Amino acid sequence: MLQFKNVTKIYENTNVTALDDITLDIQKGEFVFLVGHSGAGKSTLIKLITAEERPTSGEIIINDINVTELTAKEIPYYRRTLGMVFQDFRLLDNKTVMENVGFAMQVVGATRRQMRRRVPDVLSRVGLSQKARFLPNELSGGEQQRVAIARALANNPNLIIADEPTGNLDPDTSKEIMAYLEEINRSGTTVIVATHDKDIVNSMHKRVIAVDGGNIIRDDERGGYSDHE
Amino acid sequence: MNNFSYFLKEGIANLFTNRMVTFMTVLTVIVSLLVTGVFQVISTNLVHISGELGNNFEFNIFIKDSVMEEDLEDVAQQLLSIAMVKDAVLKSKSETFREFKEKIGNDSLLQGITEEDNPFRNCYVVTLTSLENADYVLEEITLLDAVDSVSNNLETSKKLAAVEKKVNLYSIIVYVLLALLCLSIISNIINVSIFSRRKHINIMKYVGATNGFVRTPFIIEGVIVGITGAILSSGILAYGYYLIYGNFNQVLEGIYLLSPGIVFTELLITNLIYGGLIGGIGAAFAVGKHLKV
């Protein structure tokens, strides 16, 4: 479902090699942790998946789409097959929980009817049915991140990418968020989580891909967080 | 249709969320359009005046005394048969004498001189269809047997034709330059407003919005701002022009400024197009910078 074939990314401006000849294969329905400290290449890897950056060489194939060859016009349509979750939630402050989730559907041209049906459904999956009419600043950090997860789910993606989803949350809330992601994964959606959070990685026993200096230094089927990373 | 109502709602909502920016942008549009508007009013009037002067430019063709009264009609036909002669109106010597008498208002000087027997000559007032090639036309007229002499002020008329050409050229240059200037100012101001909404744009891009989807509400916002500025600036200019017109409307004898109604209609049309385009294109440019996600 996700394949990196000999992918290298060198940033032109700085001449930094962010990723060096990476080959990676993630199957449909997997739950994968992407670990490594800042500057290791995690963010670049995610930016390549979301087509925010293009690789210098190599090939990236996601959902049978050759992401490397996408034109600027095709990128929005490709992104609709992904769900993104960020460390800083990225919710629209002036829109309610319901509207934030609906907005993702509106952007891709969903009808009001489709939205009325889908939004309550995804909100109930993250336990926020009662807070549909709240504004983001009336919610706790964990709740805001759950809205972001609901939004990522709105267009029924088969891949969810979470970039440091627990970076701004306390340990208990972090666990709760990971439980929601795990639940989503159980229903068949592939989930990739980039994180620094050692406790979470160690407690969940999922596949761990460790990146350092632009290389994959470890890929364990049921791994933990090594202190070297 | 679903999207269109979203674009419109979003575009209008944006106007009110960033009231200060909206106000500044409308103000810039007004100031810019006031400048181009003043230029437009001057240039359309100049074109109008020089056109009028050109049209009304009259040449006095003096007829030899030897030509009999009954032959004058033939002379008129001869004059009219010359290419580019639009009209030839007879001003008889008695008519000229009467005018002269009225002007000086003192009969004693003219004692013994009658309408039939006076020192004035019969004259044809000739107007041309265009001032171009007036040289040749007048030369041809001079060659007619019946013509004694031609009084003209061809140099003035030529200068006027040149002024008209220059005014047309400069107006185009000024319009283009001001359009570019306005575009850059407005694009930068809108950019400020978009900058505060870049998070919004960023989120839209991540959930898979096309560039067109992100851009359209901003363009609608820009066009509304442009049109508002256009209407206001046209109103201000029209009022100013109306005041000037009320006090001073006759430029030269027989030549008037364009009426405020015509000027306002012209201004409004140009400004609406100009303002709408500048607002829309300015916004499109400004948002374009933020679309690369």
Side-chain angles (χ1 to χ4, degrees), chain A residues 52 79-80 90-91 107 110, chain B residues 2 199 202-203 206 208-209 293:
Chain A
E52 211 177 318
R79 286 206 182 128
R80 295 173 189 185
R90 301 202 190 168
L91 300 175
V107 159
Chain B
N2 197 13
K199 183 181 160 191
N202 189 276
I203 292 169
Y206 270 116
V293 177

Side-chain angles (χ1 to χ4, degrees), chain B residues 71-95:
Chain B
D71 295 329
L72 282 175
E73 190 51 35
D74 283 346
V75 178
Q77 289 311 318
Q78 283 173 22
L79 286 169
L80 288 169
S81 68
I82 294 170
M84 297 181 75
V85 170
K86 194 164 122 191
D87 206 6
V89 178
L90 178 70
K91 200 173 174 189
S92 68
K93 55 193 285 183
S94 44
E95 221 178 307

Side-chain angles (χ1 to χ4, degrees), chain A:
Chain A
M1 109 135 265
L2 182 148
Q3 271 183 304
F4 272 53
K5 294 179 187 165
N6 306 103
V7 173
T8 296
K9 174 68 188 175
I10 300 166
Y11 285 102
E12 278 171 32
N13 299 338
T14 51
N15 225 5
V16 169
T17 306
L19 289 178
D20 188 9
D21 195 24
I22 286 206
T23 296
L24 182 65
D25 203 337
I26 294 173
Q27 298 302 315
K28 187 174 168 11
E30 270 195 276
F31 192 114
V32 179
F33 279 117
L34 200 59
V35 300
H37 35 227
S38 320
K42 281 191 321 253
S43 295
T44 303
L45 209 99
I46 286 177
K47 281 180 178 166
L48 289 174
I49 297 174
T50 59
E52 211 177 318
E53 293 286 349
R54 281 177 191 279
T56 312
S57 65
E59 208 174 42
I60 301 166
I61 294 164
I62 296 168
N63 289 328
D64 299 323
I65 296 166
N66 189 336
V67 181
T68 338
E69 285 174 358
L70 287 179
T71 64
K73 271 205 169 134
E74 292 166 334
I75 289 175
Y77 300 95
Y78 159 70
R79 286 206 182 128
R80 295 173 189 185
T81 66
L82 311 175
M84 291 290 299
V85 178
F86 302 94
Q87 178 171 6
D88 56 357
F89 322 134
R90 301 202 190 168
L91 300 175
L92 297 170
D93 303 326
N94 57 348
K95 290 193 194 293
T96 63
V97 167
M98 213 166 72
E99 287 167 343
N100 262 287
V101 177
F103 183 65
M105 296 183 69
Q106 191 166 27
V107 159
V108 305
T111 62
R112 275 177 204 286
R113 213 186 133 117
Q114 288 167 321
M115 278 152 61
R116 268 201 299 269
R117 219 181 277 170
R118 179 79 181 153
V119 174
D121 183 41
V122 288
L123 282 180
S124 78
R125 282 182 75 180
V126 294
L128 282 176
S129 299
Q130 302 305 314
K131 304 215 162 165
R133 292 180 194 281
F134 283 49
L135 286 171
N137 60 19
E138 295 168 325
L139 302 176
S140 69
E143 286 169 330
Q144 290 189 46
Q145 193 59 299
R146 275 148 63 193
V147 178
I149 292 173
R151 182 181 62 195
L153 286 173
N155 291 321
N156 208 9
N158 36 28
L159 174 62
I160 290 215
I161 300 141
D163 192 2
E164 301 282 0
T166 59
N168 284 356
L169 305 172
D170 62 66
D172 285 341
T173 316
S174 298
K175 275 192 194 123
E176 194 186 294
I177 290 298
M178 293 315 295
Y180 280 110
L181 288 174
E182 203 176 6
E183 178 59 37
I184 290 162
N185 172 245
R186 220 168 279 147
S187 64
T189 311
T190 313
V191 176
I192 299 174
V193 179
T195 187
H196 272 115
D197 199 324
K198 203 188 294 181
D199 294 339
I200 279 176
V201 177
N202 288 338
S203 67
M204 286 179 72
H205 306 292
K206 301 286 186 189
R207 178 175 172 191
V208 176
I209 297 171
V211 198
D212 193 32
N215 294 295
I216 293 176
I217 55 165
R218 190 162 65 89
D219 189 346
D220 288 346
E221 207 46 58
R222 290 176 75 83
Y225 201 107
S226 153
D227 277 335
H228 303 294
E229 289 148 17

Side-chain angles (χ1 to χ4, degrees), chain B residues 30-43:
Chain B
I30 291 177
V31 172
S32 315
L33 290 182
L34 280 180
V35 176
T36 55
V38 165
F39 197 88
Q40 187 186 346
V41 169
I42 294 173
S43 82

